[in-house]
Amino acid sequence: MKAIRMHAYGGADVLKYEDVPQPQPAADEVLIRVRAAGVNPVDWKIREGYLGKIYALPHILGADVAGVVESVGSAVQRLKPGDEVYGYASLRREGTYAEYIAAKESEVTLKPKSIDFIQAAALPVAALTAWQAIFDTAHLVAGQKILIYAAAGGVGSIAVQLAKAKGAYVIGTASARNTEFIRQLGVDEVIDYQTIAFEDVVRDLDVVLDTIGGETQARSLKVLKPGGILVSIVNSPPESTGVRVAITYAQPNAAQLDEIAALVDSGQVKPQVETVLPLSEAAQAHQLSQSGRTRGKIVLQVVA
């Protein structure tokens, strides 16, 4: 099969489009014919070595997948050949920038019926990151106020929609070019971070979803109400008196993907795809992702 493999840690030029052996599913795995693979910031961070040199090389990157089940292992019970699926394949194994991947049945599920493979591949990592941060960790409920940074980005754009579906009041930060975009996603109050300091205009928030880190994270503690929570998906926040802080990293979860699929098919959540590139142009996709100016997601099309 064709795949994109990194042969060293470094710039985008270490990614090579080449022939590799097709994987074989273990007893609890399904073999997926990949139709599309999402690109996430963690992909280029791994490639650059920011997370440490954690893989033996060469290695196939990628975690978001949408495709068709080709075959199943002997212990698989939920899925069958021919099923159209999407999922978050664990970063512990070879990834989704390939024509086939063997993924555990617990990592994938039936894709939403109302969207195509490209849109489905944009969802799993971003949607699970947002879901686990604002629901599992922050326990956001209807009527609460949440501030979401980079609300036009891959995680932010889904987090906005999930929070609105829950009945929360959503405040989002974005650049001027993206303010109308996030309004259309459902943001109740928009902050143009290029001209307004968010801590000057918001107070007494229940939840802050931090997708940026750094000094923005430190300033976030000022806008929470007593007992409110700052959840970061970037780095551990400093402890602070009177408010709670947490960090969360998304984990594969097919059951939650089923709930997300239901929200998609009901029209409450729509994946946002800005750029689609062929698998062979993964290096360009990484360069776009590293620019930090992506609206929604970048997706690699594996099969036309």
Side-chain angles (χ1 to χ4, degrees):
M1 68 174 184
K2 291 291 188 182
I4 294 284
R5 293 200 295 186
M6 56 180 280
H7 284 258
Y9 288 90
D13 60 341
V14 305
L15 301 177
K16 306 297 181 185
Y17 183 61
E18 59 192 4
D19 290 314
V20 303
Q22 182 177 311
Q24 297 300 314
D28 61 346
E29 293 179 338
V30 296
L31 180 67
I32 300 169
R33 177 73 162 101
V34 180
R35 297 290 297 274
V39 175
N40 295 288
V42 71
D43 299 346
W44 61 259
K45 290 177 182 179
I46 289 171
R47 191 204 72 226
E48 293 272 4
Y50 290 148
L51 306 185
K53 296 184 177 180
I54 56 178
Y55 296 112
L57 301 177
H59 176 73
I60 302 172
L61 290 168
D64 277 324
V65 64
V68 179
V69 175
E70 185 90 355
S71 63
V72 301
S74 59
V76 169
Q77 297 181 343
R78 245 181 341 106
L79 300 172
K80 63 184 185 305
D83 282 345
E84 296 183 350
V85 296
Y86 80 136
Y88 170 8
S90 172
L91 294 172
R92 295 184 178 91
R93 302 190 304 280
E94 296 283 16
T96 60
Y97 291 9
E99 292 180 331
Y100 292 89
I101 182 173
K104 291 191 179 298
E105 186 182 29
S106 59
E107 298 170 347
V108 298
T109 194
L110 298 177
K111 81 170 185 63
K113 295 181 174 64
S114 59
I115 59 174
D116 61 23
F117 289 105
I118 296 291
Q119 292 172 303
L123 272 172
V125 172
L128 287 172
T129 298
W131 184 287
Q132 292 168 15
I134 65 179
F135 297 147
D136 294 352
T137 302
H139 302 294
L140 183 74
V141 297
Q144 289 188 322
K145 288 188 176 182
I146 180 172
L147 171 61
I148 298 172
Y149 298 138
V155 173
S157 62
I158 297 298
V160 166
Q161 297 175 77
L162 290 176
K164 288 302 296 180
K166 179 64 75 171
Y169 182 90
V170 179
I171 305 164
T173 68
S175 63
R177 81 176 186 97
N178 284 324
T179 55
E180 183 55 33
F181 171 70
I182 67 170
R183 285 190 196 280
Q184 293 174 358
L185 293 178
V187 168
D188 297 290
E189 188 176 335
V190 176
I191 298 174
D192 176 357
Y193 69 85
Q194 294 173 321
T195 60
I196 299 171
F198 63 83
E199 66 269 31
D200 291 342
V201 293
V202 295
R203 284 285 184 279
D204 296 324
L205 301 178
D206 297 285
V207 180
V208 173
L209 176 59
D210 169 33
T211 63
I212 298 173
E215 57 92 20
T216 298
Q217 184 184 85
R219 290 156 53 206
S220 304
L221 299 171
K222 304 174 185 178
V223 302
L224 288 164
K225 65 167 53 172
I229 184 168
L230 165 67
V231 183
S232 178
I233 63 169
V234 185
N235 57 269
S236 296
E239 294 294 333
S240 181
T241 303
V243 300
R244 296 170 293 146
V245 296
I247 184 167
T248 181
Y249 298 111
Q251 300 298 319
N253 190 310
Q256 290 178 345
L257 286 175
D258 282 333
E259 295 188 67
I260 291 162
L263 289 171
V264 172
D265 286 338
S266 70
Q268 295 179 81
V269 171
K270 181 180 180 181
Q272 305 296 316
V273 178
E274 180 177 61
T275 304
V276 180
L277 293 168
L279 177 63
S280 58
E281 295 183 23
Q284 182 184 345
H286 276 217
Q287 290 166 349
L288 288 172
S289 179
Q290 283 186 261
S291 75
R293 297 184 177 88
T294 302
R295 177 189 288 180
K297 289 291 292 289
I298 302 164
V299 175
L300 298 172
Q301 185 169 37
V302 180
V303 176

